[in-house]
Amino acid sequence: MTAPATAYDPAGLHLEETGDTGPLVLCLHGIGSSSAAFAPQFAALGGSYRMLAWDAPGYANSADPTGPLTMDDYADLAADVIRARGGPSHVLGVSWGGVIALRLATRHPDLVESLMVVASTPGSGTDPDKATAMRDRAGELARLGPEAFAAARGPRLLSAGAPAELVGRVTATMAAAVRLPGYGHAADAMAATDLRGELRQVTAPTLVLCGDQDRITGPDASQVLAGGLHRTAYVIVKDAGHLANQEQPEHVNAWLASHLHIVTHR
């Protein structure tokens, strides 16, 4: 269901929400996706938790931002969403969303009770070549348009053996979500970010998950996160690509539920 905007919700931000009781869980999607990416988690966890997901600024049904956004801006906006829902919150972030979640945890530790980070990375600023490739994505989107851009990138977000129906759904979600300037701002923010020096500042207990067949960030990047965090569990999800939460939802949801059970004592 679509959440009605409150007087405190950031203007123009589209939010999806399900669940009436229990702790709050804010879901932050990847750089080529939208709130639709969390349908499996909404279905599995919505009976016990208040599940909330955004379309990031300039994505899908959210309004375009009025200017460039840094990683701090995305984190601060997520903090505003949590406050509007009476936070604090547990935060689930996939890929780019995981980077935002970790920055949120260092800038607003009082609002983050725990983290669940799927297929994420310390940011593309860890390597000049990665940063350049990330910044170049906006030009690719401008040249190809959303549909062709998604057709080229969508299949790589899953394992080689992913069902055709899922590949089609992921590709369609991306095509409907990405546009300029929002995607370009997100790519620039990722290119400028290197979280390695601040991971030790994260105090929230964190679950780090990664698909064993992730062709985008890969297990190595998730291992860097897990190794740099103080209170963490690290899980490799078998037979899953970058979007493990969509490709192997039963396994991922079981780990998410276990983590939430432990940290909420429910």
Side-chain angles (χ1 to χ4, degrees):
M1 60 180 287
T2 301
T6 74
Y8 304 102
D9 282 334
L13 195 67
H14 179 82
L15 301 166
E16 293 285 334
E17 188 171 7
T18 192
D20 297 323
T21 60
L24 180 66
V25 178
L26 174 63
C27 303
L28 306 174
H29 61 77
I31 199 167
S33 194
S34 71
S35 59
F38 296 103
Q41 286 66 58
F42 272 40
L45 302 174
S48 301
Y49 300 92
R50 292 181 293 142
M51 303 295 294
L52 179 66
W54 74 2
D55 292 341
Y59 278 74
N61 294 310
S62 285
D64 291 337
T66 57
L69 298 171
T70 67
M71 199 62 71
D72 286 351
D73 293 328
Y74 291 111
D76 292 347
L77 187 59
D80 289 342
V81 172
I82 292 172
R83 291 191 188 97
R85 290 300 188 278
S89 176
H90 305 272
V91 183
L92 168 59
V94 173
S95 194
W96 173 57
V99 180
I100 297 172
L102 288 162
R103 179 58 61 81
L104 169 66
T106 61
R107 287 179 65 80
H108 304 278
D110 58 313
L111 294 178
V112 179
E113 293 190 309
S114 80
L115 293 167
M116 295 155 284
V117 178
V118 181
S120 197
T121 166
S124 300
T126 57
D127 179 88
D129 291 338
K130 290 181 180 179
T132 297
M134 180 59 70
R135 290 190 175 96
D136 287 346
R137 288 191 187 188
E140 183 182 357
L141 175 58
R143 289 192 304 273
L144 297 178
E147 289 76 17
F149 182 83
R153 289 194 168 270
R156 296 187 63 244
L157 300 177
L158 302 163
S159 72
E165 183 276 332
L166 178 59
V167 174
R169 181 162 18 108
V170 165
T171 301
T173 296
M174 182 184 293
V178 299
R179 65 180 182 272
L180 297 174
Y183 186 87
H185 295 334
D188 285 344
M190 273 291 282
T193 299
D194 180 355
L195 298 178
R196 291 174 298 180
E198 64 191 75
L199 293 174
R200 63 184 181 275
Q201 301 172 25
V202 176
T203 58
T206 304
L207 174 64
V208 177
L209 302 101
C210 182
D212 65 345
Q213 300 180 44
D214 186 341
R215 295 178 280 177
I216 305 299
T217 55
D220 288 351
S222 290
Q223 287 172 352
V224 171
L225 296 180
L229 295 163
H230 289 301
R231 303 169 65 192
T232 184
Y234 177 53
V235 175
I236 294 287
V237 183
K238 290 187 64 176
D239 302 321
H242 190 61
L243 301 182
N245 67 304
Q246 296 184 65
E247 189 166 0
Q248 295 293 342
E250 291 185 5
H251 295 303
V252 170
N253 290 341
W255 281 108
L256 298 178
S258 177
H259 168 85
L260 289 167
H261 173 73
I262 291 169
V263 296
T264 62
H265 309 291
R266 299 176 82 245

